[in-house]
Amino acid sequence: MCGIIGYVGETEEHDALDVLLEGLSGLEYRGYDSAGIALANGSIAVRKKEGELSALESALEGEALAGDAVGIGHTRWSTHGPPSDRNAHPHTDADGRVAVVHNGIIENYQPLREELADGGVTFESDTDTEVVPHLIAAFLEAGLDREDAFRRAIGRLEGSYAIAAVFEGEETIYAARNESPLVLGLGDDGHYLASDVPAFIRYTDRVIYVDDGEFATLTPETVTVTDADGRVVETTVETIEWDAEDAGKSGYDHYMLKEIHEQPSALRECLRGRVNELERSITLEELPALEWEGPVQFVACGTSYHAAMFGAGLLESRGVPARPYLASEYTAAERPVGPDSLVVAVTQSGETADTMRALREANAAGATTVGVTNVVGSSAAREADHVLYIRAGPEIGVAATKSFASQQAALTMLACALSETDAGDVVRALRDVPDGIQTVLDTSTAREVAEAYEDADAYFFIGRGPQYPVALEGALKLKEITYKHAEGFAAGELKHGPLALVTDNTPVFAVVVGDGERARKTVGNVKEVEARGAPVVAVTDGQTDIERYADHVLEVPAGDELAGAILANVQLQLVSYWVAHRLDRSIDKPRNLAKSVTVE
């Protein structure tokens, strides 16, 4: 969601304005509708604009703001008040003594706003954030120093937040975190803070992850992390294992296309050291022998929920009761969760607010928890009892691609580990997946399919078993980046209502791999569609006769259902990409969406 960047350092080495603008550029993938910066060497200079970062950069042209050594920046994803210059961050107090940026939601902002208004404060925005600088100012007027005023103001807040503040005439950034990501970067010539590492990866790869309830104070020389009572917290400095080049486009037109093409290497990294072909075994050293008695519960949102469905289905097929839950609908009080439960939280960023709330409820209920995430040091990685990293590498495009494939692979291995069943079939399937994806990338005709159906009224996606979550994910990708209507269905459900919507301008994408009963039944569903005049696109490995009923065929290498589900997804990603490309959509930054959804 919103993005935060902060820098304090040596002006002769880095200019704060340049660092902030580059940092905001590195956070654009998170989704935003306005941007702003505040510089604070002398008096605080705030500049902010509705729209893309380029609008802010244009507004800054010709301004004499260079030379500052401390500042904060922000990209806003609207929650309280529409996108506008006045609602953009940073926000200040009435006298311009302090400027604040904020990611999250302050749940008690309305009574705080009323209290401040009763005291004579006039608000300039509709946001929940603006109460923070006014609270700080009130404590300053009561005689507190800047750090204590900041701490007292934070103590009044309820909700989720990552907050950074700067004061006029002081080369210091004050920050605090609760249920919203905040990471510190340690440089040789200054220090950084951000909501995510890409904001400052060009300058440093040494980071400290701030935990809930902690405060950070950054000066050009020092970084100090303290608890709510002001006691210094012992921190761990971690090294990021990727660099700025890994997070670039590498010559591709869009991050999404680059990340689709990175899937073979991402899968190999996910499997490395975990799949033993000689012994036909899978070993997850991160996970000890887990003990639980009830069904396994998966909690996730969006694309990660589709991966959770995929993983739960694999566990069920191996004799372990499992169920996926939408994290936004999950409450421990309404679910059979307790000390005998195993709860698996699936989240690419490790910061998804709904998933983190569900994970915390499971922890509070005494369940054993596993976080399946892509981000080392994320909230999910730190708060779950155990963590399984998917190792997809940095993913910048808002629409998840390589992280979904890596989640599929990671959850497949997890299913084997939890079921304690023979892994030979899975080892064989996973071994061939990276090369199979490369074959799809090299031979796909998805671009021609996109050209044929870019003007369709709607798009349907169908599949059975492991292919059902892939159908849902295919529909989600098309919605996200093309803004066209798309729906995914279990193939057998078409005849129970959705078939009424089928027309000759409603292409149906049918995922059919293998030659088992599920595949044969899906062919039957395709016949129903074909008989009603709808165009059919078959995503298939050719083991059935579905091609004879299809108008177009997207081929995947022959294999079992498991591998086929991962490979078929790549074809559907490519279809979505090329439809969006032909419609000239904002592929990497689709409207209204964010990469890391840190509000509920």
Side-chain angles (χ1 to χ4, degrees):
M1 310 282 284
C2 305
I4 290 173
I5 176 67
Y7 170 70
V8 56
E10 304 294 338
T11 54
E12 60 266 22
E13 196 64 38
H14 297 306
D15 187 279
L17 179 61
D18 293 337
V19 174
L20 296 180
L21 291 177
E22 183 164 349
L24 294 179
S25 176
L27 293 171
E28 285 188 289
Y29 73 95
R30 294 172 68 87
Y32 71 107
D33 47 50
S34 60
I37 56 98
L39 301 170
N41 265 15
S43 61
I44 293 178
V46 173
R47 302 292 185 273
K48 51 188 182 177
K49 291 292 289 184
E50 177 189 354
E52 296 190 354
L53 181 58
S54 57
L56 175 63
E57 291 172 329
S58 296
L60 288 168
E61 290 179 2
E63 290 231 39
L65 293 178
D68 283 338
V70 58
I72 52 177
H74 190 266
T75 52
R76 177 179 186 250
W77 190 85
S78 297
T79 55
H80 296 72
S84 66
D85 290 356
R86 63 191 292 267
N87 287 330
H89 297 210
H91 292 289
T92 68
D93 68 309
D95 297 323
R97 291 170 292 178
V98 57
V100 168
V101 293
H102 164 229
N103 185 11
I105 289 181
I106 298 170
E107 295 176 357
N108 65 329
Y109 87 98
Q110 191 60 48
L112 291 174
R113 188 179 178 109
E114 292 170 359
E115 173 189 323
L116 290 163
D118 289 344
V121 171
T122 299
F123 285 86
E124 303 295 333
S125 77
D126 306 312
T127 69
D128 54 336
T129 304
E130 196 185 350
V131 300
V132 181
H134 291 298
L135 280 173
I136 295 171
F139 285 116
L140 289 174
E141 291 170 5
L144 276 66
D145 65 25
R146 291 171 171 180
E147 182 173 357
D148 286 341
F150 178 77
R151 286 179 172 275
R152 288 286 296 276
I154 297 300
R156 295 290 310 278
L157 307 181
E158 297 174 7
S160 62
Y161 51 79
I163 290 176
V166 291
F167 291 86
E168 61 179 353
E170 182 179 13
E171 293 185 0
T172 304
I173 302 175
Y174 299 95
R177 171 204 161 126
N178 186 59
E179 298 182 3
S180 196
L182 188 64
V183 59
L184 312 179
L186 309 183
D188 295 329
D189 44 40
H191 302 302
Y192 309 80
L193 65 78
S195 44
D196 206 354
V197 171
F200 56 67
I201 191 62
R202 173 186 169 184
Y203 301 103
T204 183
D205 60 1
R206 295 180 295 134
V207 304
I208 295 172
Y209 292 97
V210 181
D211 285 325
D212 285 350
E214 293 181 345
F215 291 75
T217 304
L218 287 72
T219 72
E221 298 81 20
T222 63
V223 170
T224 306
V225 178
T226 55
D227 64 16
D229 296 321
R231 294 185 293 263
V232 174
V233 174
E234 184 176 344
T235 58
T236 300
V237 178
E238 302 188 31
T239 300
I240 301 300
E241 296 182 356
W242 47 272
D243 57 26
E245 186 175 344
D246 292 330
K249 292 182 183 177
S250 302
Y252 288 92
D253 289 340
H254 299 92
Y255 285 112
M256 182 180 180
L257 186 60
K258 170 181 178 271
E259 288 156 5
I260 289 173
H261 281 263
E262 287 177 337
Q263 288 176 114
S265 59
L267 264 292
R268 291 188 183 97
E269 184 62 21
C270 181
L271 302 177
R272 178 180 53 82
R274 295 166 169 172
V275 174
N276 189 317
E277 295 183 35
L278 293 178
E279 297 181 4
R280 297 175 57 189
S281 65
I282 290 175
T283 303
L284 300 177
E285 294 182 354
E286 306 96 319
L287 301 181
L290 302 176
E291 295 184 3
W292 79 99
E293 296 182 4
V296 179
Q297 299 178 356
F298 291 81
V299 291
C301 303
T303 288
S304 294
Y305 176 71
H306 298 153
M309 291 179 65
F310 182 80
L314 289 176
L315 270 177
E316 289 274 1
S317 71
R318 290 179 171 264
V320 178
R323 180 176 175 183
Y325 291 91
L326 286 167
S328 58
E329 294 291 322
Y330 182 90
T331 57
E334 299 175 359
R335 310 298 179 202
V337 58
D340 294 331
S341 302
L342 178 62
V343 177
V344 181
V346 188
T347 161
Q348 186 280 141
S349 68
E351 304 292 350
T352 308
D354 291 313
T355 306
M356 288 308 304
R357 180 196 51 75
L359 174 62
R360 288 164 181 145
E361 288 198 24
N363 281 335
T368 298
T369 56
V370 176
V372 179
T373 184
N374 192 35
V375 181
V376 176
S378 62
S379 295
R382 297 197 307 276
E383 296 187 35
D385 296 322
H386 311 282
V387 60
L388 178 62
Y389 289 112
I390 67 171
R391 303 176 181 168
E395 186 176 67
I396 305 301
V398 167
T401 51
K402 65 176 180 176
S403 62
F404 179 66
S406 295
Q407 286 173 336
Q408 287 177 296
L411 292 176
T412 297
M413 292 185 287
L414 180 64
C416 288
L418 296 183
S419 63
E420 299 181 344
T421 54
D422 180 71
D425 58 332
V426 173
V427 170
R428 287 191 298 272
L430 291 178
R431 175 194 61 196
D432 297 330
V433 165
D435 288 341
I437 293 178
Q438 191 61 56
T439 297
V440 170
L441 295 172
D442 292 341
T443 63
S444 177
T445 57
R447 190 167 189 170
E448 289 77 7
V449 172
E451 291 174 359
Y453 299 116
E454 63 177 289
D455 294 323
D457 294 333
Y459 304 79
F460 285 179
F461 296 77
I462 62 172
R464 288 176 181 262
Q467 283 74 51
Y468 172 40
V470 171
L472 294 176
E473 177 62 13
L476 178 61
K477 280 294 148 292
L478 199 79
K479 294 177 201 177
E480 286 179 311
I481 65 169
T482 71
Y483 317 150
K484 304 274 279 186
H485 181 73
E487 293 294 336
F489 304 99
E493 290 301 298
L494 269 183
K495 59 185 177 291
H496 295 292
L499 204 57
L501 299 175
V502 166
T503 71
D504 59 4
N505 201 28
T506 309
V508 177
F509 290 78
V511 184
V512 184
V513 296
D515 61 353
E517 182 180 3
R518 280 194 288 238
R520 292 192 293 272
K521 286 184 176 180
T522 305
V523 173
N525 300 131
V526 168
K527 291 178 183 178
E528 298 166 2
V529 169
E530 188 248 0
R532 287 158 176 82
V536 173
V537 180
V539 186
T540 182
D541 59 2
Q543 296 191 59
T544 63
D545 62 348
I546 191 173
E547 293 96 332
R548 63 188 294 187
Y549 307 107
D551 297 272
H552 291 85
V553 175
L554 295 170
E555 297 179 354
V556 301
D560 66 5
E561 284 189 319
L562 172 62
I566 301 175
L567 300 176
N569 176 63
V570 179
Q571 288 283 22
L572 298 181
Q573 291 172 348
L574 289 168
V575 169
S576 295
Y577 174 82
W578 288 115
V579 171
H581 190 276
R582 292 187 62 81
L583 295 174
D584 196 27
R585 303 303 195 215
S586 179
I587 291 175
D588 288 330
K589 296 176 285 184
R591 68 188 183 197
N592 302 331
L593 300 181
K595 181 67 175 175
S596 179
V597 184
T598 54
V599 297
E600 296 182 57

